[in-house]
Amino acid sequence: MNLKLWISFGAAALATSAAAQDSNDLVLDGNAFLTEIAAPSHMENVDTIYSGWRFRTSETQALQSDDFDNPGMIFVDQAIDLWAKVDGSEGKSCASCHENVEDFAGLRPTLPRVEEGELVTMENIINECRTERMGAEPWKWSKGNMTAMTALIGLQSRGMPVNVAIDGDAAPFWEKGKELYYTRVGQLDMACSSCHEDNYGTMIRADHLSQGQINGFPTYRLKNAKLNSSHGRFKGCMTNIRATPFKEGGEEFKALELYLASRGEGLVVETPSVRN
Amino acid sequence: MKRVLRAAAVAALAATSGFADGVEPKEVVFVDGAVEVSLTGVTGDSVSGRKIFANRKQGNCLACHANTDWSEQSFHGEVGPTMDGVADRWSEAELRAIVANSKMVFEGTIMPAFYIDAGYTRALEKFEGKSILSAQQVEDVVAYLTTLKEE
């Protein structure tokens, strides 16, 4: 019995090492993008962190390696129009108050962050400008106008290393996110860690399991031909294990977003990334 | 004749457990990583088990286990060991235990327990209180696995 256990563990370990991330380099506009780095010290079970790009097929990788081929860029263009579009009772557009969207360079890697005791994401900030400053309706978390705008603003930080605060005010949110990451849920009874920490690098049917990093969000997915928010992805993963997902934009997913961002500390922003 | 006897055995089982499909999930007896008695009282159907193995909405075992017997399907998982020769490594009773509740055999495994109807949290409403496979389906899969021999 013990021997049998040992054999099956050995076989599983072999499978893992046979199909790890690839060794391709992500180069965009002649700039090399760092896609692996030593894991931050708070991660106990992983030595090296990798961008999800490293686990995709070369065809999918190629789409992200050239902005002309990257379908996510179509939505970025739409956001440039949205940026200048007047909306709401105050008769303002984003451009009325923010001179250049380029001024948001450096913002993406620091989000989510704590403001006055609340954990705040890019979507929250944009909607606050819309409701409080423009007198406009908030955008829905994962709808096209919101993901387009988060892509446009995220793009300004492309190539900058993720660097979220996880201490001080942020600590309780981070702890909560960590707990969620390791909690098994659903009829299939799995945690995020079951797939993205314990088994990254292996094939799960036709999908090559990555570490579930979020440095490339919002992500253009070939599967649904649109930009996808990170919360949308969390929701999809929970549904796949037959778990009732938390609410997009809710406290749980915001905490999970902070925790996942911190697991990608040092990887660079790749927004908008391309995935299958 | 044999068929009739089997049918009678199932009927008797169903009557005692009060569970139409066989032994209820919480009544499955694990001894040293094995479940000796068939959950339905009879041997399963390996042809049906083979289909359940690959069906994404049922066993979806192929998502994690490669299996040469399913070579017509191009995508095989690598999360768990290959199923080739699995019947040489494990007895039928052990295979039944692994499929019914892998956690009783492999501590902390990612492999789902296919025959439990409680003990998990936040399940989607339509799956709440249900097992992934029925007793019959578990037996069908076990019957199929016992055919995977190399020696």
Side-chain angles (χ1 to χ4, degrees), chain A residues 1 4-5 7-8 11-12 15 19 184-190 194-195 199 201-206 209 238-239 242-246, chain B residues 54 56-57 60 62-63 73 75-79 81 89-90 94 103 105-106 108-110 112 120-125 127 130-132:
Chain A
M1 180 67 187
K4 284 182 185 168
L5 270 175
I7 291 169
S8 69
R184 287 179 182 250
V185 289
Q187 192 193 33
L188 269 55
D189 199 31
M190 293 180 196
S194 309
C195 286
N199 287 290
T202 64
M203 296 300 290
I204 188 156
R205 206 105 187 206
L209 273 174
M238 287 187 78
T239 311
R242 299 183 175 180
T244 306
F246 296 106
Chain B
R56 286 163 204 267
K57 296 214 147 49
N60 199 17
L62 202 54
Q73 278 260 355
F75 296 110
H76 293 204
E78 306 167 328
V79 175
R89 302 192 289 276
W90 304 91
E94 288 168 331
K103 282 155 186 139
V105 183
F106 308 113
T109 185
I110 186 178
Y120 47 78
T121 51
R122 275 196 88 81
L124 281 169
E125 210 174 302
F127 298 114
K130 299 202 172 98
S131 58
I132 304 171

Side-chain angles (χ1 to χ4, degrees), chain B residues 29-77:
Chain B
V29 182
F30 293 82
V31 179
D32 290 336
V35 175
E36 292 296 339
V37 192
S38 162
L39 304 180
T40 55
V42 291
T43 305
D45 170 0
S46 65
V47 176
S48 151
R50 183 173 184 277
K51 291 186 194 134
I52 296 165
F53 186 92
N55 187 315
R56 286 163 204 267
K57 296 214 147 49
Q58 296 178 345
N60 199 17
C61 318
L62 202 54
C64 293
H65 296 288
N67 181 355
T68 306
D69 184 52
W70 260 110
S71 52
E72 70 262 39
Q73 278 260 355
S74 35
F75 296 110
H76 293 204

Side-chain angles (χ1 to χ4, degrees), chain A residues 26-54:
Chain A
L26 173 56
V27 180
L28 245 167
D29 287 340
N31 298 315
F33 273 57
L34 180 147
T35 56
E36 79 175 75
I37 191 169
S41 55
H42 67 74
M43 280 171 74
E44 289 144 26
N45 311 318
V46 175
D47 294 332
T48 308
I49 53 175
Y50 301 96
S51 158
W53 183 85
R54 292 280 293 278

Side-chain angles (χ1 to χ4, degrees), chain A residues 238-269:
Chain A
M238 287 187 78
T239 311
N240 282 344
I241 52 175
R242 299 183 175 180
T244 306
F246 296 106
K247 227 175 118 259
E248 292 185 1
E251 293 307 317
E252 291 89 358
F253 275 173
K254 288 202 287 179
L256 203 48
E257 182 182 338
L258 173 64
Y259 180 65
L260 285 189
S262 82
R263 290 177 68 95
E265 172 141 359
L267 288 177
V268 301
V269 173

